[in-house]
Each structure stands twice: as structure tokens, then as C-alpha cells.
Amino acid sequence: MKVAMIEDDVELAEILSDYLKKYGIEVESFEDAFIAISAMRIKEYDALILDLTLPGMDGLEILKKIREFSDVPIIISSARSDLSDKVIGLELGADDYLPKPYDPKELEVRLKAITRRHVKPPKEPDLRIYKNRREIHFKGKPLHLTPAEFEVLSYLIEHANQAVDREELLYSCENLSENASEKTIDVIISRIRQKLGDDPKNPRYIVSVRGVGYKFVP
């Protein structure tokens, strides 16, 4: 588990980090709220431990800003005993509130509990092949493909993240005429991209590989 901690008490942050490390919880600690928010935007964390009394920005304001772009589980860890802080924190999207002082063991248990609750189900792939029916579904709905388009797209999906040259695609397709050329593959790719809503200038799924051919990116 990788956890971020926004805490200006360096000694406490060190004690908690050392304790949690024994239980497989890696902590990245921040004293500065602005640096912490920037890190939260670009890195993946399993949870956040947030103090409320911080220099430069109040913890509740930090919570509000983080909730604008992230649903990471958040435990407020604060010495502030005002009930309104707890209520507002939970209303703003915190998952738990742990008043200081507390035993580090309790923090460990609560971290594991909130991360279990936040486990997300695996995402369904955008494209799924049904070979027996010779169908490819895109976001749950069947694509209307010609036999040649089905063969080209199937081949690319089965070789995901690999550059496949045009000649290889030609040989993999049984539904192309004898006169088909590498240019034919370009035309088929263009039609598939249209059906996927893929912008040819900035494609999401079928990427051109210069000097080679194409690559499917899941």
C-alpha cells in the first residue's frame, strides 16, 4: 500500500512512517500543502492521511481541493477537537476522522479498512472479440464491420501493444482480394477508426507506427 501524508510535525510523520512500513504501508510525507496537492495530481496513492492545522493552507481547504480531482480514501488525523471540524471534514469527502493523540496501530487498522472499501472492480475492456460470432463489441455494443475489417481489427487486438506491419495484416486476412495492397490496409484502418470514433490525428486505439504499420493500444 502506498500512502501520502500531509503533516507538518516532522517527528510525528517519521514515527508513523516507520511504524506503518513494518506492515507493508509505504508513506510519502509532505509538510507543504501545495507540493502535496501537486503530487496527488500526478501520482497514484491508495490513501491520504491529512492533518488539519498546517502552515499556508487549512486542512479542510486541502481536502476540498483534492476532492475536485481525486476520490482517494482520506483519513483526517488532527488534534483539533472541535466537532464542527469533524462534521465538515466528513461532509467534504473525508472517509474517517482520527483525533490525536492515537496509537499508530489504530491508524494502520483504519487505513486497511478504508482501502478495502475503496477497491474498484476491474474495468471492462473497451473492445471485446467474440470469435465464434465473428463480432467485436465496442463499449458493450457490436461494431458493424465488414469481414476484412473484423480480421484486421481482431489481429491488431490479439497483438496488442505490438507494431504490426501492413504486409503481415495483408497475409492475416482471408477476406481481401488478390489485388489488395498495403494501401488497402490503410483504407481499412481508416474505416475502423471512424467506427471507433478514433481521431486519425490523435488516435486513442489504433496508432500509426512510422515506417512499419499500426499498433493497437488497449
Side-chain angles (χ1 to χ4, degrees), residues 68-86:
E68 288 172 3
F69 63 86
S70 174
D71 61 354
V72 64
I74 297 175
I75 294 180
I76 292 175
S77 158
S78 178
R80 282 167 29 182
S81 56
D82 191 336
L83 179 61
S84 65
D85 282 334
K86 182 175 182 178

Side-chain angles (χ1 to χ4, degrees), residues 154-192:
S154 295
Y155 196 86
L156 287 171
I157 292 171
E158 288 166 356
H159 296 78
N161 292 317
Q162 298 176 34
V164 179
D165 65 38
R166 291 172 177 84
E167 189 176 0
E168 188 178 342
L169 287 169
L170 271 174
Y171 284 118
S172 74
C173 292
E174 298 174 359
N175 286 282
L176 290 175
S177 71
E178 291 180 6
N179 299 322
S181 65
E182 293 187 3
K183 185 68 179 171
T184 308
I185 294 296
D186 292 337
V187 172
I188 290 172
I189 292 291
S190 177
R191 292 203 305 253
I192 294 171

